[in-house]
Each structure stands twice: as structure tokens, then as C-alpha cells.
Amino acid sequence: MNADATRKIRLIMYLREKGIHSTDVLRALEITPREAFIPEMFHDQAYEDLALPIGRGQTISQPLVVAHMTQALKLDPMHKVLEIGTGCGYQATVLSHLCRRVYTIERHRPLFENANRTMDELRVRNITTLLGDGMKGWPAQAPFDRIICTAAARREAPYELLSQIKEGGHLVIPVGEPGDQWLYRFTKRPDGECTKEKLFSVRFVPLLPDIARDSEEEALATRDPELMEMAV
Ligand code: SAH
């Protein structure tokens, strides 16, 4: 067995010990090659439980957080799911193994293009991507059975996201300032109101409005040129 396969098995066993009891979620992580989504310089850490840089100041979440959030969604193979924050496309690909279709939105063009390329190479066919502001959701495709947001809302879950969940559906989203962020699961009741459960403490990059402008892209590109070259 090669080193990657051994590390991967060790990671799956660790996720199980840490409370990931869904065999479907464990299998989805097992069949998604995390190294394909990260810059080559981090390949030896692909199966460590670490968040890693993916360029533009953003990170791929650590596997345990991806697994917990995926499990918290309680997916069904028929579900239509919206993800906010495509990043490198890893979480979207994990979701694609567990539901009918994933819609995913990213605000940085270089990350959006890179994620599309990786998912194409991996021949993932049930993901639709959009370069846009995910805080507005995806009204043309709404409603969704499930919505997952992989960037943290400062104060509260955006109303647009709550309004685009189907009755009985969930929104899983981190909320709070850096240092005091919690993962929440919202559930839409038949009367249209949402109930809210506090799940656990997390650390995410912030949910920001609008598509990143050229000036923002340039500032970020000069901050980590080496990483950007490798990531995008
Ligand atoms: N799910 C990603 C994690 C990415 S980190 C993965 O598997 O790699 C969070 C991402 O959210 C970043 O790429 C960031 O650019 C993006 N983001 C932040 N605010 C956003 C918004 N309003 N709309 C879309 N994407 C947003």
C-alpha cells in the first residue's frame, strides 16, 4: 500500500473516533482525493487533519470540519444542495457523492476557475458553479433541500439563504466574529419560520459581499505570489 493510502485510512479512522458515524459521509471523504484540490507544496499534508492555504488568503477546511458539516446536513441522494464558498471545490465534491446536484458559488474568479478545472479533471458531473455573491443565494435555482455556507457570517445568517431553504430543509453555517464563531443548523418549519441549533465552535474565513474586484485580487496576488502561482 502506498503512503497516501495508509494516511487516508488513518484519517478515516480518526474521523470515526471523533464522531463521524455516517458511513456514507466517511465513504464520500474516502473517495475524494484531497491532494487534487491543494497546491503541490502541501501534498504530503493532504490527509492530515489540517486546514491548508489555497490562495487568495483562503483555506480548504480541515477534514474533520468538512465531515462534521456534511454529516450535520443529513443528506439524501435526491437532494438539491447549495454551497456558498466553492474555494478549491473539495467540499462541493464531497457533497456531490451524497446528493443529486450541488450548486456552488465563489466570489474570487481565480479560485472559481481553478475549482472548475479540478472538478472537470476528476470528471465530477453533478456540480454547477457560479462566480457571484453567495450572500444573495441563487434565486433562479431556489428552493434548496439543503444549504451549506463555508465562510462565516459576522452577525447572523443572511436572510436570503434562510428564505431559499425548502420546508423541512436545513442551512448549516458558521456565525460570529473571529475567535467566537459557532456552527449553526437552521431548520425551516412548516410555518416558514426557522429553528436554530448551536453545534460546535469553528474557525472560518469571513463571508464577504460582492464579487472580488480586480484591485482586491491584485492586492492578494502580491501577498502570496508563490502560492498563487501553484494554486491557480
Ligand atoms: N468549501 C471550500 C472552503 C473555502 S473557504 C473548500 O472546500 O475549499 C471559504 C470560501 O468562501 C472562500 O473561497 C471565499 O472566497 C468564499 N466566499 C466568501 N464570501 C463569499 C460570498 N459572499 N460568496 C461566495 N463565496 C464567498
Side-chain angles (χ1 to χ4, degrees):
M1 204 184 296
N2 67 31
D4 254 10
T6 312
R7 286 194 193 117
K8 192 184 252 192
I9 290 170
R10 207 182 302 139
L11 176 66
I12 299 297
M13 283 164 59
Y14 164 84
L15 297 176
R16 242 185 16 209
E17 277 163 26
K18 291 283 179 182
I20 308 304
H21 50 74
S22 161
T23 48
D24 291 338
V25 171
L26 290 169
R27 185 179 154 272
L29 269 100
E30 193 177 341
I31 63 178
T32 305
R34 192 164 181 256
E35 70 279 10
F37 296 86
I38 58 180
E40 211 176 326
M41 61 172 138
F42 300 118
H43 276 190
D44 59 334
Q45 296 171 68
Y47 295 101
E48 303 291 325
D49 190 29
L50 293 173
L52 296 166
I54 54 170
R56 285 334 189 237
Q58 309 301 318
T59 51
I60 179 174
S61 306
Q62 65 188 94
L64 183 58
V65 172
V66 171
H68 264 307
M69 287 177 85
T70 308
Q71 184 166 271
L73 283 172
K74 302 185 197 165
L75 293 168
D76 172 286
M78 289 313 289
H79 280 164
K80 174 179 173 184
V81 179
L82 173 65
E83 181 198 27
I84 312 305
T86 313
C88 64
Y90 176 70
Q91 171 80 73
T93 303
V94 169
L95 295 171
S96 76
H97 298 302
L98 297 163
C99 67
R100 184 166 54 84
R101 180 156 285 277
V102 181
Y103 295 83
T104 180
I105 308 176
E106 173 56 52
R107 65 185 290 279
H108 282 288
R109 182 182 291 279
L111 298 182
F112 166 80
E113 288 173 353
N114 198 39
N116 279 326
R117 195 162 44 236
T118 308
M119 294 187 297
D120 258 12
E121 278 166 15
L122 293 175
R123 298 194 161 69
V124 188
R125 300 277 181 243
N126 58 339
I127 301 183
T128 309
T129 60
L130 178 72
L131 178 68
D133 179 2
M135 284 168 103
K136 301 192 175 91
W138 195 326
Q141 289 297 343
F144 297 93
D145 296 290
R146 301 289 188 261
I147 302 181
I148 174 173
C149 185
T150 63
R154 264 236 136 102
R155 294 178 183 284
E156 48 197 42
Y159 169 77
E160 283 77 2
L161 298 185
L162 291 168
S163 73
Q164 291 176 26
I165 333 172
K166 280 187 198 169
E167 186 184 315
H170 299 300
L171 163 65
V172 170
I173 182 170
V175 181
E177 305 282 341
D180 186 24
Q181 271 176 18
W182 290 82
L183 193 71
Y184 288 90
R185 176 170 53 206
F186 291 82
T187 305
K188 177 130 347 151
R189 298 192 315 215
D191 65 2
E193 292 296 306
C194 284
T195 56
K196 171 172 156 183
E197 295 159 82
K198 194 172 184 177
L199 302 181
F200 47 87
S201 151
V202 284
R203 255 176 67 192
F204 272 87
V205 295
L207 184 65
L208 298 172
D210 305 324
I211 295 179
R213 298 188 181 284
D214 288 349
S215 54
E216 186 182 341
E217 295 294 5
E218 278 160 27
L220 286 165
T222 47
R223 215 178 68 187
D224 53 7
E226 190 192 358
L227 186 60
M228 280 325 293
E229 216 171 89
M230 306 191 82
V232 179

